Amino acid sequence: MLTMKVPLRAAEQAKQDLIRRGLFVPGYGVPKESEHLYFPVKERFDAPYDFVERDLDERPGQPGTLKEALAGKLPTDALDKLKTAYDQVGSIAILEIDEDYRQYDALIGKTLLLTNPKTKTVLAKDSRHEGTFRTQQMRLLAGEDTRLAEHKENGVVLAVDVEEVYFSTRLSTERKRIAGLVQPGERVLVMFSGCGPYTCVLAKNTAAREVVGVEINPRGHELALQNIARNKLLNATAYCGDVREVVPCLGAFDRVVMPLPKAAETFLDVALAAANDGATIHFYAFLPEDASGEAHGWIRDACQRSGRPCKVLGTVRCGQQAPRVCRFCVDFALSK
Ligand SMILES: C[S@@+](CC[C@H](N)C(=O)[O-])C[C@H]1O[C@@H](n2cnc3c(N)ncnc32)[C@H](O)[C@@H]1O
């Protein structure tokens, strides 16, 4: 097999260049020797590297990344713009495809089915997260025409409707972080609970006395009930409705989670009214990357209005909404 011998420091750039030109040959190991990698290539070309014949291990089970597999099939401008990262929700892969390249939907979808054996359905995002339910339209690129997936995360199995209910796999580390903070015997309220990822992960991985989710989207609530039952979570419950109406009927909580970063500040009064003295509140917000302090101002003002002194425990960055706009979680505690 013909290979191109590239110094390690230049390897990533050289590989991207090979893929872009359609010269990279997927399905083989890339050996490393002293300070060089040997990339399998289709042919010699004008490059500042040596070309060397080598025996390479075949990796038939690894047909390469989506970009590698599409090299030579998509025009280079489309290949350059293709986002390599995609979300995998159970057996559903969800891509973002530039509007100008929709004519390649089927090719991209079918290629992804071949490169990722776990994937049975390939969808593309057709809109941003919209409306009260924060849902996103999708179109089918290839595979089985379904929006329902079974996703495993932090020790629970979740039924997820990727089009009718908000769900993000990218929050799994954040859910684990919150689970690590829950103390034995706590009553935990999850406002805006969707199909129950926080509710289930906290109920499964902590010794909370009770974890209660509240969600306004009936489809999300239906799935949350299924997920609680499926994971046999006797310490979890879910209610359907607007938090403003439902939460005041649920009693007092030791911890409140507010995963509605688009508008959680408008519900701080509801969270504060439901929180015991000494409770911890996890408040999410989308803010410019250097402006997380704005959330501290909303929290301080809301606490002052309700006469509940509070202390910010910390702020973590837990995602990206847009270039230079991040999802932050501010953890704050009410005075005892
Ligand atoms: C960003 S999603 C988070 C869903 C879930 N917690 C998760 O992490 O996957 C926000 C959720 O809040 C719900 N929601 C919006 N306004 C609400 C309200 N007033 N009362 C209850 N739920 C609401 C939406 O339907 C949506 O499912």
Side-chain angles (χ1 to χ4, degrees), residues 1-3 25 28-31 38-41 54-58:
M1 166 71 63
L2 183 66
T3 66
V25 183
Y28 289 91
V30 175
Y38 292 79
F39 291 114
V41 292
R54 289 194 59 139
D55 287 336
L56 297 185
D57 296 338
E58 276 193 54

Side-chain angles (χ1 to χ4, degrees), residues 28-328:
Y28 289 91
V30 175
K32 179 181 163 201
E33 251 176 41
S34 58
E35 293 303 299
H36 291 86
L37 286 181
Y38 292 79
F39 291 114
V41 292
K42 283 191 185 148
E43 60 195 30
R44 289 168 198 270
F45 63 102
D46 191 14
Y49 306 115
D50 291 338
F51 290 89
V52 188
E53 286 290 344
R54 289 194 59 139
D55 287 336
L56 297 185
D57 296 338
E58 276 193 54
R59 302 269 167 87
Q62 293 176 2
T65 65
L66 178 61
K67 237 183 192 171
E68 289 165 11
L70 283 166
K73 297 182 189 162
L74 276 187
T76 43
D77 57 335
L79 201 61
D80 281 347
K81 285 235 173 128
L82 185 71
K83 288 195 181 150
T84 41
Y86 55 87
D87 291 332
Q88 186 80 42
V89 185
S91 61
I92 300 182
I94 305 170
L95 290 108
E96 273 178 61
I97 296 180
D98 197 289
E99 192 59 32
D100 298 340
Y101 300 111
R102 282 181 76 135
Q103 74 257 42
Y104 303 113
D105 269 9
L107 173 64
I108 295 170
K110 282 182 190 152
T111 308
L112 182 48
L113 284 180
L114 291 174
T115 57
N116 184 342
K118 190 179 169 190
T119 301
K120 305 268 182 290
T121 299
V122 185
L123 305 176
K125 297 177 184 175
D126 243 353
S127 71
R128 299 176 69 85
H129 288 108
E130 293 168 337
T132 302
F133 295 171
R134 311 303 305 144
T135 46
Q136 204 167 28
Q137 283 159 25
M138 311 260 175
R139 64 180 189 277
L140 180 71
L141 303 193
E144 190 190 334
D145 190 0
T146 181
R147 304 294 185 266
L148 197 59
E150 269 199 0
H151 186 77
K152 289 189 184 150
E153 176 200 306
N154 289 311
V156 296
V157 187
L158 300 166
V160 178
D161 183 323
V162 297
E163 192 161 26
E164 282 192 46
V165 181
Y166 177 97
F167 178 76
S168 173
T169 56
R170 299 177 194 200
L171 284 166
S172 66
T173 309
E174 172 61 8
R175 289 189 267 269
K176 192 173 179 185
R177 182 184 77 86
I178 304 287
L181 299 172
V182 173
Q183 299 300 307
E186 281 188 1
R187 263 194 108 218
V188 181
L189 170 64
V190 180
M191 293 164 78
F192 323 114
S193 49
C195 62
Y198 275 92
T199 315
C200 292
V201 168
L202 299 187
K204 173 83 183 184
N205 296 284
T206 73
R209 178 155 55 96
E210 193 182 12
V211 183
V212 181
V214 182
E215 168 58 45
I216 201 169
N217 177 349
R219 176 70 172 143
H221 173 66
E222 181 193 345
L223 291 172
L225 290 178
Q226 282 178 27
N227 290 330
I228 289 168
R230 165 100 190 255
N231 291 286
K232 302 187 172 64
L233 300 169
L234 301 178
N235 57 345
T237 45
Y239 293 88
C240 189
D242 185 335
V243 291
R244 203 163 273 291
E245 287 160 19
V246 176
V247 169
C249 310
L250 298 177
F253 293 87
D254 306 304
R255 187 174 298 272
V256 181
V257 188
M258 303 182 71
L260 181 66
K262 194 87 182 156
E265 67 276 16
T266 61
F267 294 97
L268 271 166
D269 59 328
V270 179
L272 289 170
N276 280 323
D277 287 343
T280 302
I281 300 182
H282 305 282
F283 173 84
Y284 291 85
F286 289 134
L287 287 166
E289 58 191 2
D290 52 0
S292 63
E294 201 173 326
H296 298 189
W298 294 332
I299 291 165
R300 207 179 38 242
D301 292 351
C303 287
Q304 250 168 23
R305 273 196 301 274
S306 62
R308 308 284 300 273
C310 74
K311 181 177 170 216
V312 171
L313 304 173
T315 303
V316 297
R317 200 168 133 158
C318 47
Q320 188 94 26
Q321 188 216 18
R324 289 184 292 284
V325 180
C326 299
R327 181 192 292 104
F328 290 99

